[in-house]
């Protein structure tokens, strides 16, 4: 491409006013020319086509080449992100060597106050992805980096200006060797998927997306040009140090973020749940009209292991707790997590007020992510009930790269449930209530139903805080890989039945739908667990190593049995399955699906299926005592964890009543006398009964310090302490009735399901409804 002689570098760049003009031609997929009618040949050639006939002329167009299309697409994207300076056209060059002849043509250059981006674009001629080698391009760009850096810093008078180098590709598969080569030379790669993500993000966040983009490009790097010093007051709230200060929205937008994870197409719906575009627009109109919010943003400063610098002014009096000084905020994009106040901050994006007004901020430092979520929920639930989908979004993000295995696994499961509803590739796309969606006949599946199905499987595994209880079939140690394998398996399994039962997946609840209702999808996920378990037990599949597609293919003989079962259901059968068993419909459906496959394939005999059908006269027993067992395990782990966090190594001595301490040791000693192998011996904590947890919770100051918020039945907050814990007495009574002769009542069954949903699934609605009918409803039935 021929380069033209240029004036000083900065004069070649398009500012925002010029960008507004250039975007119009950059957006269209073809170049245009207007020619006189007398000049029009009999037939248009060389790819030109008629666009519009005018009075004395015609307008013709010609499709842009793929490389030019990609350059224009990226140029428009960076312009909409709000970069104040962009290269004006494709002839832009920068001198990188000592002689004027040593110039590099730059596809796109973008510059803002803190950094610059040099972009090389490569697009394949074919619409299908093809593999190609970019060794020459990468090494040539890498070799010219020093000269390009020098020239840009000189042109802008900023010797510490950060400069990022990008290779952007369209319809290319990049070899691993090229990925490694770019990494070694400090060059970032953006793929089709990345471009799609940033376009969606920019459509939603506007110019604020630039800071998320820059944070990805300069991940982990300090940005020297960032103005990061603010006058502040240092104080303490409880055990936490905090800082109070004012800062401009322009500064906070660069440092702030609302999602801990970065650069993934599937995160766009999460941004949409956390930041409402319509609300942003209203707040922006409000503040630009002179309005203001007197309350502070609540944030968490993440120092990435570095010490936060606070220069004391030494002006405060000797007897004050608070200290005055200058706080050095981490000079990095994405270093301040916005716990509360996202809309107030992001409404300033692109506003002229962003640089000449300030917002009050209260900032904690390196808060545990559970504490961040707790603060968000407490602040927002005091205003109105927080949508469960929003809580799941936050929980999935905060736990995604948690330091504990248990939380990380929970984050994977919640992101999986979100993906089933959000991903276009999912057969349930458009059928799941996500974000602020209202329930409709089409969109009637809840995230809780999906999580109920996922949580009971071995797909991800079971974990204690930092140890594996049961390794998951698809667990790879890495959250992204585990999520990808599990999602691929579920989507492939869904599609298998969708292709053979297309009418079933399209059915509405009023039409007798089975799979596209809460109980049905929960049961189907449980059934898929049974199918994989059968394959593993009989050495037909190796879930940890076989691809999801291979697993579905190998187990198709059982999936076919499921298809035949669904095909054989009459409308009346469907209505009975959906309504007769109320809150136990998912278990009934699951057992019916198992039985349907077993009739087609007799070798399919999942654990508990035969016993279930033999015990139908005691229809509530099996699930009730399974749920009670789950609750006991939960109490054992959670209560111990809270005691350990408060009392440390002496938790068992200091955290429980003395009489219970002696009883537990005596019970453990008695049981261990009858146990031969030391590895099977019981600890005192293994000898706890459900009612004993009540004694622990109400002992000394335990209730107010540790257990009040987590174990008070929602809706029962004003009750006395004994009434608040009476549900444990009723649960213990039900537990003790687990005999062959006893038949669980429907009331006890519903009570256990409600406690299970509240404690293990985060759904308090049923237990709140029971508590609302009077405190005696939580007490043992006579």
């Amino acid at each position: 491409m021929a380069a033209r002689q240029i004036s000083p570098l900065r004069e070649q760049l398009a500012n925002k006013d010029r960008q507004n003009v250039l975007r119009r031609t950059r957006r269209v997929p073809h170049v245009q020319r207007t020619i006189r009618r007398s000049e029009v040949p009999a037939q248009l050639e060389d790819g030109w086509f008629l666009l519009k006939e005018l009075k004395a002329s015609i307008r013709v167009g010609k499709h842009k080449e793929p490389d030019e299309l990609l350059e224009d697409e990226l140029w428009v994207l960076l312009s909409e992100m709000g970069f104040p300076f962009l290269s004006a056209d494709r002839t832009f060059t920068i001198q990188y060597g000592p002689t004027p002849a040593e110039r590099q043509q730059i596809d796109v250059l973008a510059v803002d106050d803190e950094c610059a981006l040099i972009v090389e674009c490569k697009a394949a001629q074919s619409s299908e992805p093809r593999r190609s080698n970019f060794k020459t391009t990468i090494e040539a760009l890498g070799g010219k980096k020093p000269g390009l850096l020098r020239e840009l810093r000189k042109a802008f008078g900023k010797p510490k200006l950060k400069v990022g180098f990008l290779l952007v590709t369209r319809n290319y598969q990049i070899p691993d060797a090229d990925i490694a080569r770019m990494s070694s030379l400090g060059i970032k790669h953006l793929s089709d998927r990345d471009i799609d993500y940033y376009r969606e993000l920019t459509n939603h966040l506007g110019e604020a997306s630039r800071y998320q983009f820059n944070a990805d490009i300069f991940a982990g790097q300090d940005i020297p040009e960032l103005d990061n010093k603010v006058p502040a007051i240092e104080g303490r709230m409880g055990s936490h140090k905090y800082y109070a200060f004012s800062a401009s929205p322009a500064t906070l937008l660069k440092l702030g973020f609302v999602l801990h994870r970065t650069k993934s197409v599937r995160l766009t719906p999460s941004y949409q749940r956390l930041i409402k575009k319509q609300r942003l627009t209203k707040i922006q109109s409000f503040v630009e009209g002179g309005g203001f919010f007197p309350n502070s943003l609540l944030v968490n400063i993440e120092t990435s292991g570095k010490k936060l610098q606070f220069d004391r002014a030494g002006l405060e009096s000797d007897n004050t707790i608070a200290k005055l000084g200058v706080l050095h905020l981490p000079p990095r994009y994405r270093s301040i997590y916005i716990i509360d106040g996202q809309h107030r901050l992001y409404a300033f994006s692109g506003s002229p007020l962003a640089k000449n007004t300030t917002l009050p901020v209260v900032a904690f430092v390196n808060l545990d992510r559970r504490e961040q979520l707790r603060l968000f929920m407490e602040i927002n639930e005091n205003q109105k009930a927080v949508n469960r989908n929003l809580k799941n979004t936050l929980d999935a993000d905060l736990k995604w790269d948690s330091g504990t295995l248990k939380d990380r696994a929970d984050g994977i499961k919640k992101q999986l449930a979100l993906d089933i509803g959000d991903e276009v590739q999912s057969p349930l796309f458009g059928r799941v209530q996500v974000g602020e969606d209202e329930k409709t006949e089409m969109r009637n599946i809840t995230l809780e139903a999906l999580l109920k199905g996922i949580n009971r499987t071995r797909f991800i595994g079971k974990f204690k805080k930092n140890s594996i209880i049961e390794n998951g079939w698809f667990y790879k140690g890495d959250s992204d890989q585990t999520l990808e394998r599990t999602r691929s398996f579920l989507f492939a399994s869904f599609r298998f039945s969708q292709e053979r039962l297309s009418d079933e997946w399209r059915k509405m609840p009023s039409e007798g739908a089975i799979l596209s209702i809460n109980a049905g999808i929960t049961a189907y996920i449980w059934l898929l667990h049974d199918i994989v378990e059968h394959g593993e037990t009989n050495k037909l599949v190796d879930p940890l190593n076989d691809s999801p597609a291979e697993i579905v293919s190998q187990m198709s003989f059982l999936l076919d049995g499921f298809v035949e079962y669904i095909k054989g259901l009459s409308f009346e059968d469907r209505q009975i399955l959906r309504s007769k068993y109320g809150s136990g419909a998912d278990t009934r459906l699951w057992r019916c699906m198992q039985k349907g496959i077993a009739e087609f394939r007799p070798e399919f005999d999942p654990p508990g299926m035969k016993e279930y059908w033999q015990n139908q006269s005691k229809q509530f027993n099996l699930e009730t005592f399974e749920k009670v067992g789950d609750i006991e395990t939960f109490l054992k782990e959670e209560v111990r964890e809270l005691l350990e966090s408060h009392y440390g190594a002496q938790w068992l001595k200091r955290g429980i009543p003395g009489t219970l301490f002696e009883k537990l040791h005596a019970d453990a000693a008695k049981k261990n006398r009858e146990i031969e192998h030391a590895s099977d011996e019981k600890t005192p904590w293994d000898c706890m009964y459900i009612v004993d947890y009540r004694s622990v919770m109400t002992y000394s100051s335990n209730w107010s310090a540790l257990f009040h918020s987590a174990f008070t039945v929602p809706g029962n907050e004003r009750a006395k302490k004994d009434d608040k814990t009476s549900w444990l007495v009723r649960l213990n009574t039900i537990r003790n009735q687990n005999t062959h002769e006893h038949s669980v009542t429907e009331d006890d069954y519903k009570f256990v399901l409600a406690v299970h949903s509240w404690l293990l699934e985060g759904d308090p609605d049923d237990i709140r409804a029971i508590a609302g009918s009077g405190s005696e409803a939580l007490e043992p039935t006579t």
Side-chain angles (χ1 to χ4, degrees):
M1 184 181 298
R4 57 184 169 88
Q5 290 299 312
I6 58 172
S7 53
L9 186 149
R10 290 187 62 171
E11 295 181 14
Q12 302 176 72
L13 302 180
N15 61 18
K16 285 195 171 184
D17 288 338
R18 193 175 175 199
Q19 288 177 39
N20 291 336
V21 176
L22 294 175
R23 271 202 305 272
R24 288 196 290 269
T25 56
R26 290 269 196 168
R27 282 185 204 278
V28 294
H30 50 260
V31 293
Q32 298 183 21
R33 283 173 52 192
T34 301
I35 56 178
R36 295 177 183 174
R37 285 185 174 275
S38 57
E39 298 174 357
V40 179
Q43 185 173 354
L44 294 175
E45 298 175 348
D46 297 327
W48 291 94
F49 54 88
L50 179 65
L51 282 173
K52 188 175 183 180
E53 293 194 34
L54 305 172
K55 194 168 185 180
S57 60
I58 66 168
R59 188 172 299 152
V60 294
K62 185 177 184 179
H63 291 297
K64 295 175 182 176
E65 291 296 316
D67 278 343
E68 185 176 1
L69 276 173
L70 179 58
E71 289 173 25
D72 285 350
E73 180 181 5
L74 197 73
W75 191 97
V76 169
L77 176 63
L78 296 176
S79 177
E80 291 176 341
M81 283 184 176
F83 278 92
F85 297 103
L86 287 172
S87 49
D89 56 42
R90 303 182 76 206
T91 64
F92 178 75
T93 64
I94 300 178
Q95 183 175 326
Y96 64 86
T99 66
E102 295 175 285
R103 309 193 70 85
Q104 173 67 33
Q105 184 270 332
I106 306 295
D107 290 340
V108 182
L109 173 70
V111 185
D112 68 9
D113 293 339
E114 290 81 31
C115 64
L117 301 172
I118 290 176
V119 185
E120 178 77 16
C121 296
K122 296 291 182 184
Q125 292 289 332
S126 62
S127 57
E128 293 298 320
R130 57 182 287 256
R131 198 167 181 81
S132 186
N133 185 306
F134 291 99
K135 178 177 182 293
T136 303
T137 300
I138 294 167
E139 290 181 347
L141 185 58
K144 296 167 185 173
K145 275 183 65 176
L148 296 172
L149 283 168
R150 181 188 63 249
E151 191 67 22
L152 278 174
R153 288 168 175 168
K154 177 183 173 184
F156 284 88
K158 294 182 176 182
K160 294 182 178 180
L161 181 72
K162 279 285 182 181
V163 181
F165 293 80
L166 297 147
L167 175 63
V168 180
T169 60
R170 171 74 78 197
N171 291 328
Y172 276 120
Q173 295 174 348
I174 308 299
D176 291 342
D178 279 352
I179 298 293
R181 196 171 284 115
M182 282 189 280
S183 178
S184 68
L185 292 171
I187 299 171
K188 296 280 186 177
H189 173 240
L190 296 187
S191 66
D192 303 62
R193 188 176 175 87
D194 298 326
I195 299 168
D196 292 341
Y197 164 67
Y198 288 122
R199 188 192 306 110
E200 289 187 23
L201 188 63
T202 303
N203 288 341
H204 191 68
L205 294 184
E207 293 190 6
S209 61
R210 178 166 95 251
Y211 310 121
Q212 308 298 314
F213 178 72
N214 285 346
D216 294 339
I217 302 305
F218 300 103
Q221 300 181 43
D222 284 354
I223 311 294
E225 297 292 335
L226 278 175
D227 182 11
N228 66 321
K229 298 176 185 177
V230 292
I233 299 173
E234 180 185 275
R236 299 199 73 86
M237 285 189 198
S239 60
H240 297 296
K241 182 185 291 185
Y242 76 93
Y243 296 92
F245 58 87
S246 289
S248 71
T251 296
L252 294 171
L253 283 166
K254 294 168 185 175
L255 303 178
F257 67 105
V258 297
L259 280 177
H260 286 81
R261 283 173 290 158
T262 62
K263 208 172 74 171
S264 167
V265 172
R266 63 177 173 271
L267 292 185
T268 306
S270 298
Y271 275 106
Q272 292 166 348
R273 280 190 284 276
L274 293 171
I275 300 177
K276 298 293 176 188
K277 197 167 186 177
Q278 186 177 16
R279 191 174 172 194
L280 284 182
T281 303
K282 288 181 179 178
I283 293 177
Q284 188 169 46
S285 298
F286 174 71
V287 296
E288 290 185 351
F292 62 92
F293 297 93
N295 48 329
S296 298
L297 303 184
L298 183 63
V299 307
N300 180 58
I301 299 173
E302 302 195 350
T303 65
S304 302
K306 299 179 181 179
K307 185 178 180 180
L308 188 66
Q309 183 177 344
F310 179 67
D311 300 332
R312 289 185 58 181
L315 299 176
E316 66 272 4
S317 61
D318 293 336
N319 60 355
T320 184
I321 298 173
K323 301 176 181 64
L324 301 174
V326 174
L327 179 65
H328 296 245
L329 299 171
R332 295 187 310 278
Y333 297 112
R334 292 177 53 86
S335 57
I336 295 181
Y337 177 68
I338 314 299
I339 297 173
D340 185 63
Q342 294 94 332
H343 289 90
R344 274 172 279 151
L345 173 58
Y346 280 81
F348 283 94
S349 175
S351 168
L353 296 175
K355 289 186 177 182
N356 55 25
T357 191
T358 59
L359 294 175
V361 181
V362 171
F364 292 96
V365 182
N366 295 328
L367 273 184
D368 179 82
R369 291 190 180 181
R370 286 190 182 189
E371 187 72 5
Q372 295 177 40
L373 179 61
R374 184 188 67 79
L375 283 170
F376 175 86
M377 296 299 291
E378 286 183 355
I379 292 167
N380 287 277
E381 284 186 331
N382 286 335
Q383 299 170 23
K384 65 173 186 175
V386 176
N387 181 282
R388 280 187 214 157
N389 292 326
L390 179 57
K391 182 179 184 298
N392 283 323
T393 299
L394 287 166
D395 224 14
D397 175 57
L398 290 167
K399 292 180 176 178
W400 182 256
D401 54 1
S402 167
T404 70
L405 287 173
K406 184 179 178 182
D407 280 352
R408 204 151 62 231
D410 194 42
I412 295 170
K413 291 173 184 177
K414 287 181 174 173
Q415 185 60 54
L416 178 61
L418 290 165
D419 286 355
I420 290 172
D422 283 335
E423 291 273 348
V424 177
Q425 298 91 332
S426 169
L428 287 176
F429 178 71
R431 306 300 296 267
V432 180
Q433 296 169 55
V434 293
E436 304 295 329
D437 292 333
E438 296 293 330
K439 180 179 179 180
T440 65
E441 188 169 35
M442 167 69 80
R443 198 183 294 273
N444 67 94
I445 296 174
T446 64
L447 292 174
E448 283 69 32
L450 295 169
L451 284 168
K452 186 177 183 181
I454 294 164
N455 285 334
R456 195 154 143 180
T457 70
R458 272 186 61 195
F459 296 155
I460 311 297
K462 295 180 181 178
F463 304 86
K464 287 186 178 178
K465 187 174 183 180
N466 282 310
S467 61
I468 298 174
I469 299 172
E470 181 180 54
N471 207 11
W473 287 322
F474 302 120
Y475 182 69
K476 303 293 285 185
D478 174 82
S479 295
D480 280 304
Q481 291 183 44
T482 301
L483 176 64
E484 182 59 36
R485 281 182 60 79
T486 313
R487 185 176 57 224
S488 296
F489 168 73
L490 284 178
F491 285 12
S493 301
F494 291 171
R495 282 193 296 270
F496 182 95
S497 61
Q498 184 187 38
E499 290 166 0
R500 294 157 179 79
L501 297 166
S502 56
D503 289 343
E504 173 62 38
W505 285 82
R506 285 196 293 264
K507 273 188 171 69
M508 297 292 112
S510 61
E511 299 170 325
I514 292 294
L515 293 179
S516 53
I517 60 172
N518 285 327
I521 198 61
T522 299
Y524 186 41
I525 292 172
W526 291 342
L527 183 73
L528 294 175
H529 167 274
D530 296 332
I531 289 172
V532 176
E533 186 174 51
H534 179 90
E536 183 191 45
T537 302
N538 292 280
K539 297 185 172 21
L540 301 174
V541 295
D542 178 3
L544 194 59
N545 296 305
D546 291 346
S547 72
E550 289 172 335
I551 295 171
V552 171
S553 177
Q554 283 294 105
M555 303 312 298
S556 61
F557 69 102
L558 295 182
L559 290 168
D560 281 332
F562 166 74
V563 169
E564 292 304 314
Y565 166 71
I566 295 294
K567 283 181 177 178
L569 292 174
S570 66
F571 183 80
E572 290 72 22
D573 293 334
R574 293 165 180 273
Q575 293 300 100
I576 292 171
L577 284 171
R578 285 159 43 88
S579 60
K580 183 177 179 181
Y581 295 91
S583 57
D586 47 21
T587 298
R588 175 72 175 185
L589 270 169
W590 172 46
R591 294 302 187 184
C592 288
M593 290 174 183
Q594 289 178 329
K595 188 178 180 183
I597 294 179
E599 289 173 355
F600 185 74
R601 290 286 187 180
E603 66 269 30
F604 182 63
D605 183 22
M609 180 185 71
K610 288 179 179 177
E611 291 79 3
Y612 175 86
W613 292 108
Q614 290 167 359
N615 291 315
Q616 271 305 283
S617 60
K618 302 183 184 70
Q619 60 176 305
F620 300 117
N621 284 33
L622 186 61
E623 188 174 7
T624 296
F625 295 119
E626 281 182 357
K627 299 292 188 190
V628 169
D630 290 344
I631 296 167
E632 278 195 276
T633 300
F634 173 83
L635 289 170
K636 181 179 179 181
E637 294 175 356
E638 290 295 311
V639 173
R640 174 173 178 164
E641 189 173 313
L642 288 168
L643 290 173
E644 286 180 332
S645 69
H646 189 70
Y647 293 107
Q650 298 296 311
W651 66 274
L652 193 60
K653 285 184 179 180
R654 297 172 56 200
I656 72 174
T659 53
L660 179 61
F661 180 88
E662 294 169 2
K663 172 184 171 296
L664 294 178
H665 278 80
D667 289 348
K670 183 178 179 180
K671 290 180 179 181
N672 289 336
R673 279 197 296 271
E674 301 170 4
I675 293 174
E676 294 183 10
H677 301 291
S679 61
D680 297 329
E681 289 187 356
K682 304 296 182 183
T683 68
W685 195 248
D686 292 328
C687 300
M688 289 279 287
Y689 292 100
I690 290 176
V691 75
D692 293 333
Y693 293 108
R694 188 190 197 209
S695 300
V696 173
M697 290 179 188
T698 56
Y699 173 64
S700 186
S701 62
N702 281 357
W703 181 249
S704 58
L706 300 176
F707 300 109
H708 177 266
S709 61
F711 292 100
T712 297
V713 171
N716 208 31
E717 290 84 0
R718 296 180 179 274
K720 296 178 181 178
K721 181 164 62 176
D722 285 349
D723 290 337
K724 289 178 180 178
T725 55
S726 61
W727 63 272
L728 282 159
V729 180
R730 181 175 179 184
L731 191 67
N732 190 70
T733 301
I734 296 170
R735 167 68 178 82
N736 292 340
Q737 292 169 338
N738 186 10
T739 65
H740 182 70
E741 295 81 14
H742 179 71
S743 181
V744 176
T745 67
E746 186 170 1
D747 279 348
D748 281 348
Y749 166 70
K750 288 180 177 179
F751 171 78
V752 170
L753 285 185
V755 173
H756 190 279
S757 295
W758 165 42
L759 293 179
L760 277 76
E761 299 167 28
D763 181 356
D765 286 357
D766 291 341
I767 195 68
R768 183 185 283 116
I770 292 173
S773 62
S775 60
E776 66 278 0
L778 300 175
E779 297 173 356
T781 53
T782 56

